[in-house]
Amino acid sequence: MIIQRTYGEKEVACVKKHFTIGMAGHIDHGKTSLTKALTNVYTDRLKEEQERKISIELGYAPLTLNEDMEVSIIDVPGHERFIRQMIAGVAGIDMVMLVIAADEGVMPQTREHLDILTLLGIKRGVVVVTKITKVDSEMLELARMDIEDSIRGTFLDSQPVFLVDSIEKVGLEELKAGLIEQLSVLDVRNASGAFRLPIDQVFTVHGQGTVVRGTVYEGMIQEGDMVEVLPQGKLVRARQLQVHHQPREEGHAGQRVAINIGGIEKASLKRGDVIAAPGRYESTQTIDIALKTVNELNHLIKQRQAIKLHIGTSEVYGKIVFFDRNELKAERDEVLCQLRLDEPVVTRRGDRFILRRPTPMETIGGGEVIDGHGQTYKFGQATVQMLAKKREGTPVELITNLLSVEKALSIDEIISHTGLQAETVEAAIKGKEFIPLSNSIVTSKEVSALAARTVIQDLTTYHNDHPMRKGMAKAELIQANKSAFPNVLFESVIENEIENGSVRRIGPSIALVSHHPHPPKKWEKRVEHVLGALRKEGFKVSPLIDHLESQQLPENLRPELIHYFEQEELIYRLDEKLVVHYEPFKMMVKELWERSSESFTLQEAKDHTELSRKYLVPFLEKLDSLKLTKRDDQKRVWITEHIEQWVRQS
């Protein structure tokens, strides 16, 4: 979103930053009360939550800090039975508030939430000590010492600690100021990437249909965009967007967005599904990973043991496969291994995940996806070394993997995404694997080939659907693929296909070279009968509509059929109603040209053609429009070079 800020008399456009803050901590430590105190929104909306006074599902609320930031708070359940909701909630956050009650201090779920946050790669957060008016200063100091011990060595070490009381409204302004300070140094999520939103809520709205909600991981979405539901692979339209119940025309990375989608029922969707830009992501059931275990693992993890994977908002069962061991203990170093899942998930290189043991329930660890589309590998060190190399990735591999998702990027964007040095990127993209486009934009040969196949497939589909049209508007083809391929890439690929000879240009349209306009096969015979009847009638023709009706050609086909007749010059329209077949028309033109001199009058034309005035006048006006003749007072003069060429071609 762009906001305008005025400095003196000058207006300056500022990009509004979007962030999501997760609220984590033990049950009954005041997360929901703190959320309400900060946002004036009570996130326990379910009847059971209100009756039991605990959070069961994720709660969301908008937090107003300043005009530069749009912030969402996710209140995640603290009870151990709802750990999956907690993981789904924090998977898309930018920073965290770890909430610890002063009267209880650090508790088991506090430690588990902290482990999960660390494993998910959360880098920034604050500690919020709540209920401070319930304890004396000595108890508060003990709680602070307990907290310092617990966060030592974690990402929260040396981060600010705020003391608040949500009921008494103590310390809230200081906390807000601290959040602004923390968020101001955070990088915003990638709004230029391919849109991806893991679904964490699905519901229906009366009169509107299916609505999904989630945090936009990357990219942006606009009202009216076509998006893909994964892993189903179904295309749907984003009919309406809302951010915290406010209508929006677009949603950006880092925002909580609700999307009203058409073409799919609520029963066909669930938490864990993904809404994404069409063709930009794929589902998978085999994932190569780098796994870091928790510090204290209560049970050994054996080869091919059942696991529960939490990634994005998905929760999927599967098994873990090791290549250098048959069992896993708590490890200080990362373990390179593989997950084979019972159901497909949507992921890509660099995504973070959590692994849990299904029974007895226990967090095993978490880490990072090396390859979202792993293969079957042999047991042994060679495979581990291969995974290590894949994780590190050569510059070419890293850029190729990046472009497989982003399709086309500038050199600066590649540097930003990969973290490679500028000279390394510039050297890598000179290789045969990459194709330079305009303005320092680069794509890969693999992506270019995919776009070329899309051009051919889309044109083939268009020709099958509209066989009588010469071609498809180039702008329409580009627009139809804008969410899958950047314009600069798709236009370049189209021009390459024209140059290669598989596609031809027809004015503003393009077509496969192999395509020649023709009536639908189903109606070919009847169309031939119409043309045959017109040819037989010569100039004394019945209305064209009568011929179409006599052959019982469908009404919805007739306008395009008439357009096809005209564009292929199978007929010539003399006026709004009068249409003649091309053969008698061309014969009449040739006959008049041969019988007349360089010019002729209306009477001379009547004598030469023997046409009545009803047909003669529109016939001569047609000659003018074809630039075969031009009016000169009471005469018409042949345009010699045009008529000679026209007769030769006829």
Side-chain angles (χ1 to χ4, degrees):
M1 176 185 294
I2 304 297
I3 59 175
Q4 296 292 329
R5 181 178 297 155
T6 303
Y7 293 95
E9 296 181 353
K10 185 179 180 182
E11 267 198 339
V12 181
C14 302
V15 178
K16 198 164 191 176
K17 295 181 178 180
H18 309 285
F19 297 108
T20 302
I21 299 176
M23 194 86 75
H26 192 76
I27 184 174
D28 200 30
H29 274 209
K31 296 187 297 298
T32 302
S33 296
L34 178 58
T35 301
K36 187 175 188 303
L38 290 171
T39 67
N40 203 32
V41 174
Y42 189 55
T43 56
D44 280 353
R45 66 197 188 284
L46 301 180
K47 181 180 179 182
E48 185 181 357
E49 290 178 315
Q50 295 170 8
E51 289 175 349
R52 296 173 60 185
K53 296 188 181 337
I54 63 170
S55 297
I56 297 173
E57 285 292 344
L58 302 171
Y60 308 96
L63 173 61
T64 302
L65 292 175
N66 61 31
E67 61 181 2
D68 293 338
M69 299 177 184
E70 186 174 272
V71 181
S72 298
I73 286 185
I74 300 183
D75 177 13
V76 301
H79 196 284
E80 63 176 349
R81 287 172 50 198
F82 308 121
I83 198 74
R84 66 182 181 87
Q85 287 94 326
M86 182 267 169
I87 294 171
V90 301
I93 67 173
D94 300 295
M95 67 169 287
V96 67
M97 284 189 275
L98 184 65
V99 178
I100 303 172
D103 58 349
E104 288 193 338
V106 176
M107 298 291 283
Q109 255 60 62
T110 313
R111 300 182 192 281
E112 185 165 23
H113 283 201
L114 185 55
D115 281 344
I116 289 170
L117 291 164
T118 303
L119 292 166
L120 285 172
I122 305 301
K123 301 296 185 186
R124 189 165 290 274
V126 298
V127 177
V128 183
V129 183
T130 58
K131 306 183 183 183
I132 62 171
T133 60
K134 285 190 172 185
V135 298
D136 56 27
S137 58
E138 185 177 348
M139 187 73 173
L140 185 58
E141 184 59 29
L142 286 173
R144 289 193 62 160
M145 292 172 59
D146 187 21
I147 290 168
E148 287 177 5
D149 287 342
S150 298
I151 65 175
R152 188 172 292 115
T154 74
F155 72 96
L156 287 175
D157 198 354
S158 302
Q159 294 299 309
V161 177
F162 295 92
L163 308 179
V164 305
D165 191 290
S166 304
I167 307 302
E168 302 296 330
K169 310 294 185 187
V170 176
L172 296 179
E173 293 308 313
E174 291 83 354
L175 174 57
K176 287 182 179 180
L179 294 176
I180 292 173
E181 185 178 347
Q182 293 288 309
L183 292 172
S184 64
V185 297
L186 270 182
D187 292 330
V188 295
R189 287 176 176 261
N190 179 19
S192 65
F195 172 74
R196 176 168 55 145
L197 179 146
I199 297 171
D200 55 45
Q201 290 180 332
V202 185
F203 52 95
T204 56
V205 175
H206 181 68
Q208 299 295 321
T210 305
V211 177
V212 299
R213 184 184 284 142
T215 300
V216 182
Y217 272 30
E218 53 197 316
M220 65 170 290
I221 184 172
Q222 293 180 312
E223 189 173 84
D225 278 354
M226 293 299 295
V227 291
E228 187 174 13
V229 180
L230 296 168
Q232 296 91 323
K234 184 175 179 60
L235 288 177
V236 297
R237 188 174 298 280
R239 297 190 296 202
Q240 294 177 312
L241 307 178
Q242 284 192 358
V243 176
H244 293 300
H245 307 291
Q246 298 299 314
R248 298 288 177 89
E249 292 184 358
E250 55 189 38
H252 296 260
Q255 282 184 308
R256 292 284 309 163
V257 179
I259 308 174
N260 173 214
I261 54 177
I264 192 166
E265 298 296 323
K266 174 179 178 288
S268 301
L269 296 165
K270 66 181 186 306
R271 173 188 287 165
D273 292 344
V274 174
I275 303 293
R280 303 296 291 272
Y281 297 93
E282 295 178 351
S283 56
T284 179
Q285 289 182 245
T286 306
I287 305 174
D288 297 337
I289 63 168
L291 173 66
K292 181 74 172 66
T293 65
V294 294
N295 292 330
E296 296 180 7
L297 199 57
N298 295 324
H299 303 84
L300 289 176
I301 307 300
K302 296 184 178 179
Q303 177 74 291
R304 298 181 182 271
Q305 182 171 314
I307 51 89
K308 185 190 290 185
L309 170 70
H310 298 268
I311 190 164
T313 57
S314 295
E315 176 187 358
V316 179
Y317 290 91
K319 60 187 176 184
I320 189 166
V321 177
F322 302 115
F323 300 106
D324 60 349
R325 68 196 69 202
N326 287 310
E327 61 183 26
L328 176 68
K329 303 176 183 178
E331 293 278 348
R332 294 179 62 87
D333 298 326
E334 287 182 325
V335 177
L336 304 181
C337 52
Q338 188 177 80
L339 302 178
R340 297 179 187 172
L341 307 175
D342 298 343
E343 301 174 50
V345 296
V346 178
T347 188
R348 66 178 232 180
R349 180 186 174 92
D351 282 354
R352 307 292 299 196
F353 65 88
I354 296 294
L355 278 191
R356 302 197 85 217
R357 179 197 298 276
T359 179
M361 287 173 52
E362 176 188 17
T363 298
I364 298 169
E368 190 173 347
V369 173
I370 297 174
D371 188 347
H373 299 277
Q375 307 296 318
T376 301
Y377 312 125
K378 292 181 179 179
F379 186 90
Q381 281 298 321
T383 293
V384 176
Q385 292 168 7
M386 179 273 294
L387 291 175
K389 185 177 179 182
K390 185 191 287 190
R391 187 180 189 203
E392 180 181 350
T394 66
V396 168
E397 289 168 343
L398 291 174
I399 298 171
T400 300
N401 288 336
L402 175 63
L403 290 173
S404 69
V405 176
E406 305 296 343
K407 304 309 189 223
L409 292 172
S410 69
I411 293 175
D412 287 344
E413 287 171 327
I414 293 172
I415 292 168
S416 174
H417 280 288
T418 61
L420 297 172
Q421 296 295 319
E423 56 269 24
T424 304
V425 171
E426 288 169 0
I429 63 176
K430 290 178 181 177
K432 61 182 180 180
E433 298 88 353
F434 304 105
I435 299 173
L437 303 172
S438 61
N439 299 324
S440 299
I441 304 296
V442 178
T443 189
S444 68
K445 280 195 171 181
E446 177 185 325
V447 170
S448 180
L450 174 62
R453 290 196 298 273
T454 302
V455 169
I456 301 303
Q457 289 167 359
D458 284 7
L459 286 177
T460 300
T461 300
Y462 187 87
H463 293 330
N464 289 337
D465 292 342
H466 308 285
M468 291 185 286
R469 298 182 189 177
K470 284 188 174 182
M472 181 180 190
K474 178 183 172 184
E476 181 184 348
L477 179 60
I478 293 171
Q479 178 68 18
N481 287 280
K482 70 170 187 174
S483 59
F485 299 99
N487 285 5
V488 64
L489 165 63
F490 212 63
E491 286 200 44
S492 174
V493 167
I494 290 172
E495 292 304 314
N496 284 342
E497 291 305 303
I498 292 172
E499 189 176 328
N500 294 339
S502 59
V503 172
R504 58 192 168 98
R505 197 192 312 274
I506 310 165
S509 299
I510 56 175
L512 295 176
V513 169
S514 58
H515 172 69
H516 301 284
H518 61 275
K521 292 190 179 300
K522 181 178 179 180
W523 306 108
E524 272 184 346
K525 292 296 182 185
R526 298 190 187 191
V527 170
E528 288 175 8
H529 288 315
V530 169
L531 291 172
L534 281 175
R535 183 174 59 248
K536 188 175 181 180
E537 287 183 340
F539 267 76
K540 297 180 180 180
V541 290
S542 308
L544 178 56
I545 192 68
D546 292 349
H547 290 288
L548 298 176
E549 287 177 352
S550 70
Q551 291 299 321
Q552 297 181 334
L553 287 161
E555 284 190 28
N556 62 350
L557 184 68
R558 293 172 191 174
E560 190 151 343
L561 187 57
I562 293 170
H563 177 73
Y564 160 72
F565 286 159
E566 291 185 289
Q567 78 173 9
E568 296 301 306
E569 296 186 342
L570 298 173
I571 62 172
Y572 283 89
R573 184 179 293 279
L574 303 186
D575 59 27
E576 189 175 332
K577 294 183 179 179
L578 189 58
V579 172
V580 296
H581 191 275
Y582 76 97
E583 286 185 4
F585 178 85
K586 291 185 175 181
M587 287 178 62
M588 189 65 73
V589 174
K590 185 177 180 182
E591 188 174 328
L592 176 60
W593 182 59
E594 290 174 345
R595 290 186 177 184
S596 62
S597 58
E598 293 180 357
S599 63
F600 55 89
T601 64
L602 180 66
Q603 183 59 50
E604 287 172 337
K606 186 176 187 303
D607 294 339
H608 294 321
T609 62
E610 299 181 358
L611 292 175
S612 68
R613 189 176 184 85
K614 173 183 176 182
Y615 299 105
L616 180 62
V617 172
F619 170 65
L620 296 179
E621 290 176 348
K622 187 66 176 179
L623 297 186
D624 295 341
S625 70
L626 291 173
K627 299 190 183 313
L628 301 179
T629 59
K630 63 180 179 180
R631 290 286 298 272
D632 184 8
D633 196 16
Q634 299 299 313
K635 297 188 297 182
R636 275 182 169 80
V637 179
W638 291 105
I639 303 174
T640 306
E641 63 271 23
H642 290 179
I643 183 62
E644 287 180 348
Q645 181 181 3
W646 198 81
V647 169
R648 282 198 304 272
Q649 290 176 345
S650 300

